[in-house]
Amino acid sequence: MSKYLTVRGKKSAFSFLVSKRMLWVILGLVIANAIVFIIGTGVGSVKVTPIEVIKVLLGVGADTQTVIVHSLRLPRMIIAVLVGASLAVSGAILQGLIRNPLASPDIVGITGGASLGAVCFFFFLGSTMSIQWLPLFAIIGAFVSTFLIYILAWKKGVSPLRMVMIGIGMSSAYSSISYMLMISGPVILANKSMTFLTGSIYGVSWEKDVWVMLPWVIILLPIALLMAREVNVQELGQDIAAGVGSAVQAKRALLILLSVALAGAAVAIGGAIGFIGLMAPHIARKMVGPAFGGVLPVSALIGSLILLVADLAARTLFSPLDIPAGVFTAVIGAPFFVYLLYKNRHS
């Protein structure tokens, strides 16, 4: 029995194979995401049962429950899905591009640049500009950081090893500058900055969060999926990629920009949530193999599931406190990172 489904266009304009295993994995992850999404939407000071949540989502719920779900909880759940998926796909692209299993937006400096941009906004413009401008400054910080790393790593082209090493160093520098600003500024600004640096989706809304991030995800995730073949080629190495006709440096720059835009948008809304971009691609490869046509969509679903579970744990394990979701992703991700270091040392 074949392991693949053949998809053909009209008059054989295109044809490709789709793994049946990948389809089953995607279906299972969609169901898992839906279950956690519904449970998380019902959890809070006022309990809403899963059946009642489904009724509200279908437009037939009670008025009180509709207000609670739509106004207070649904934006948070949607942002968890968008941020988790964006960080995971960004990490998957970086790991394929840099050919380093330890690469992720928070390790190579992208998240650090976005966080520094946000901290600078808090301390220099927070009292004069609306908080709705925060995402823009975080995204600018991510792009400026990546530009500096790219320039410093350039030597007759960009070496993946140079890029990741320089990114790690720059990330440490960004963290030091951020903490210096926090120590030197008012306590209230330091608290805002610390929450952002930890990573939290508490208090998000439709207007300043969901509608801001949704266009980025709707545009960038499909582009990432369409470029999956190019990530596969880049992972083969510069010489082989050039040998099969790929414009290596141009495609590498485009993929880096795509990864940075996804990570920057996610950090702008959810803060510096760590390790999702590291963990999700590794789990995806275990489930569907190394081809990025499967790794990217599965990573997106795993990333959203990780953040949904982390946020649910953050709200329930220490109730009535609402712990930042980034604390729980770090609790899971730090041991995972150590495991990868150990595994690569002995491989």
Side-chain angles (χ1 to χ4, degrees):
M1 187 175 182
S2 175
K3 296 180 180 179
Y4 298 93
L5 293 174
T6 302
V7 179
R8 289 191 177 91
K10 292 182 179 180
K11 298 180 180 180
S12 300
F14 63 86
S15 177
F16 57 91
L17 298 177
V18 178
S19 168
K20 293 180 181 179
R21 178 183 177 185
M22 182 190 75
L23 294 178
W24 282 111
V25 169
I26 289 175
L27 177 62
L29 287 171
V30 168
I31 293 172
N33 272 272
I35 291 172
V36 179
F37 187 99
I38 292 170
I39 293 172
T41 304
V43 170
S45 56
V46 178
K47 305 293 183 183
V48 182
T49 67
I51 298 298
E52 291 168 338
V53 170
I54 293 173
K55 287 182 178 180
V56 170
L57 296 178
L58 294 175
V60 295
D63 291 343
T64 302
Q65 294 166 347
T66 299
V67 171
I68 292 172
V69 170
H70 275 288
S71 300
L72 302 177
R73 298 180 185 170
L74 202 55
R76 185 167 182 165
M77 295 295 98
I78 292 174
I79 284 296
V81 171
L82 298 179
V83 169
S86 298
L87 289 173
V89 173
S90 176
I93 292 173
L94 282 178
Q95 287 178 14
L97 191 62
I98 299 176
R99 291 181 291 139
N100 189 319
L102 303 179
S104 69
D106 43 316
I107 292 173
V108 301
I110 298 173
T111 298
S115 300
L116 180 57
V119 171
C120 288
F121 170 83
F122 284 132
F123 279 84
F124 298 116
L125 300 169
S127 60
T128 59
M129 295 182 68
S130 169
I131 193 68
Q132 292 185 351
W133 289 97
L134 174 62
L136 176 62
F137 280 83
I139 292 171
I140 290 173
F143 274 100
V144 170
S145 168
T146 306
F147 176 76
L148 291 174
I149 293 169
Y150 201 82
I151 292 298
L152 292 172
W154 183 273
K155 185 179 180 182
K156 297 179 181 179
V158 174
S159 163
L161 179 60
R162 283 200 304 272
M163 187 173 176
V164 73
M165 295 303 294
I166 291 172
I168 291 172
M170 295 292 284
S171 181
S172 298
Y174 298 144
S175 297
S176 299
I177 297 171
S178 297
Y179 285 115
M180 182 187 70
L181 291 173
M182 290 169 56
I183 292 171
S184 61
V187 174
I188 186 170
L189 294 180
N191 288 336
K192 289 182 180 179
S193 300
M194 181 56 73
T195 301
F196 187 90
L197 291 174
T198 305
S200 174
I201 55 175
Y202 172 79
V204 298
S205 67
W206 289 102
E207 291 77 15
K208 70 182 183 68
D209 298 295
V210 176
W211 299 130
V212 170
M213 186 172 183
L214 194 59
W216 290 81
V217 176
I218 290 176
I219 294 171
L220 296 178
L221 281 187
I223 294 175
L225 294 177
L226 290 174
M227 294 196 69
R229 178 181 176 276
E230 190 58 42
V231 184
N232 286 327
V233 173
Q234 291 278 334
E235 194 177 32
L236 297 174
Q238 183 167 320
D239 294 338
I240 297 178
V244 298
S246 175
V248 178
Q249 296 301 330
K251 294 293 179 64
R252 183 173 293 170
L254 181 59
L255 287 168
I256 289 173
L257 288 176
L258 181 60
S259 177
V260 171
L262 284 167
V267 174
I269 301 300
I273 296 173
F275 293 105
I276 290 179
L278 176 70
M279 294 186 290
H282 282 278
I283 298 171
R285 278 190 286 271
K286 290 290 185 182
M287 298 177 77
V288 296
F292 278 86
V295 168
L296 292 182
V298 172
S299 293
L301 290 168
I302 292 172
S304 68
L305 182 61
I306 290 173
L307 191 50
L308 282 169
V309 172
D311 184 61
L312 181 60
R315 288 188 286 144
T316 57
L317 294 183
F318 297 95
S319 182
L321 296 177
D322 198 326
I323 307 298
V327 172
F328 288 88
T329 61
V331 167
I332 302 170
F336 191 87
F337 182 68
V338 172
Y339 163 74
L340 289 177
L341 285 173
Y342 178 84
K343 180 181 177 181
N344 281 274
R345 178 186 174 189
H346 292 83
S347 61

